[in-house]
Amino acid sequence: MDGVAPVTVQDFTGRTAVVTGGSRGIGLAVARRLADAGANVVVTSRKPEAAEAAAAQVGATAVGFAAHAADEDAARRCVEFAVERFGGLDVLVNNAGTNPAHGPLVDQDHARFAKTVDVNLWGPLLWTATAVRAWMGEHGGSVVNVASVGGMTVEPGLGVYNATKAALIHLTRQLALELSPRVRVNAVAPAVVRTRLAEELWRDHEDRLSAVFALGRIGEPDDVAASVAFLASDAASWITGETLVVDGGALLGDATAMKARTAGDG
């Protein structure tokens, strides 16, 4: 309309974001995307040298901070650092994840189960609670959790991981209600993405796997980063409690089988 200034989509100028597990893969892509849009970014990793190296890749507005995703003291110190260094905390991206528990559920031991739950489920709750107490509860903010399409389906070998991601999707909805209206909480649910964590799922058979997806390829970290930035931005200001599927059409079914049936019908 005349006289109304256009809204700049995904403009994070003057805002501060914390990205957990940001030293590589999806986390690093998210940190870069937010920094490119003007944000100050605190990138976390378990090892200080990895956090610092990632921050250097992100750019001048980024700093690294060593913090394990399930460590309460580290989360508190990181959030306090972000607020003190940049004057606030507007965006939290709970990206850190792990998957040491491969194989059937009944074959898992408590140690692998507990580690997966601690990082994938307790971690996002811990960091969100810490951010809310330190800043967002009073000033507002946006939280984006990195879940998985595995939390919406069943597949062999990934039962514990997928169970934590299903729980994270529910946690997202619960937190969205509890923290409204000041804090928005959403999630993204990627399918197989070209990351080290998912490497066993695509490394030796990428062409065959890509053909199964409706859009003909596996995901790239930047695909997910774009969706995270959208949910964190003002462009999504009326969205909370939602999980955005970013899967190249994986949940639609086997594209190769569909094409084969269609060809047969012809």
Side-chain angles (χ1 to χ4, degrees):
M1 294 185 298
D2 293 341
V4 177
V7 176
T8 301
V9 178
Q10 298 179 12
D11 181 3
F12 292 93
T13 302
R15 300 185 187 184
T16 299
V18 169
V19 181
T20 69
S23 64
R24 61 177 188 260
I26 292 173
L28 181 58
V30 169
R32 283 172 166 163
R33 186 88 179 200
L34 296 176
D36 287 346
N40 303 308
V41 183
V42 179
V43 181
T44 82
S45 181
R46 287 181 296 119
K47 298 179 180 180
E49 58 271 22
E52 292 167 6
Q57 292 181 65
V58 172
T61 62
V63 292
F65 196 98
H68 188 282
D71 185 326
E72 294 185 45
D73 182 62
R76 177 187 55 77
R77 287 187 290 105
C78 181
V79 168
E80 289 178 353
F81 168 81
V83 173
E84 292 172 3
R85 176 71 174 265
F86 296 113
L89 176 54
D90 307 287
V91 175
L92 170 65
V93 181
N94 288 309
N95 169 73
T98 190
N99 184 27
H102 297 278
L105 282 174
V106 295
D107 292 341
Q108 304 309 315
D109 57 42
H110 181 259
R112 287 183 292 178
F113 183 91
K115 180 178 180 179
T116 311
V117 172
D118 276 353
V119 174
N120 295 357
L121 188 60
W122 166 243
L125 176 58
L126 165 65
W127 285 79
T128 301
T130 304
V132 167
R133 295 187 186 111
W135 183 264
M136 290 186 179
E138 181 178 354
H139 302 278
S142 176
V143 177
V144 183
N145 297 320
V146 179
S148 169
V149 293
M152 301 176 175
T153 187
V154 177
E155 57 188 323
L158 297 174
V160 177
Y161 177 83
N162 287 351
T164 62
K165 294 301 185 177
L168 182 57
I169 290 169
H170 183 81
L171 186 77
T172 297
R173 291 172 56 82
Q174 183 72 28
L175 285 171
L177 181 60
E178 291 185 6
L179 299 179
S180 63
R182 287 190 179 275
V183 181
R184 296 188 301 108
V185 186
N186 292 290
V188 292
V192 178
V193 177
R194 194 186 308 278
T195 65
R196 187 185 302 178
L197 180 66
E199 192 170 12
E200 290 187 11
L201 300 177
W202 59 265
R203 181 182 55 212
D204 297 326
H205 51 273
E206 181 179 342
D207 289 344
R208 186 168 70 254
L209 178 62
S210 295
V212 172
F213 291 4
L215 295 185
R217 65 176 176 87
I218 66 171
E220 301 292 344
D222 285 339
D223 293 319
V224 185
S227 298
V228 170
F230 163 69
L231 288 173
S233 75
D234 290 343
S237 63
W238 209 47
I239 301 175
T240 195
E242 294 299 320
T243 296
L244 177 58
V245 175
V246 189
D247 72 340
L251 290 182
L252 297 174
D254 187 335
T256 55
M258 176 66 72
K259 291 172 185 176
R261 286 196 297 270
T262 301
D265 292 340

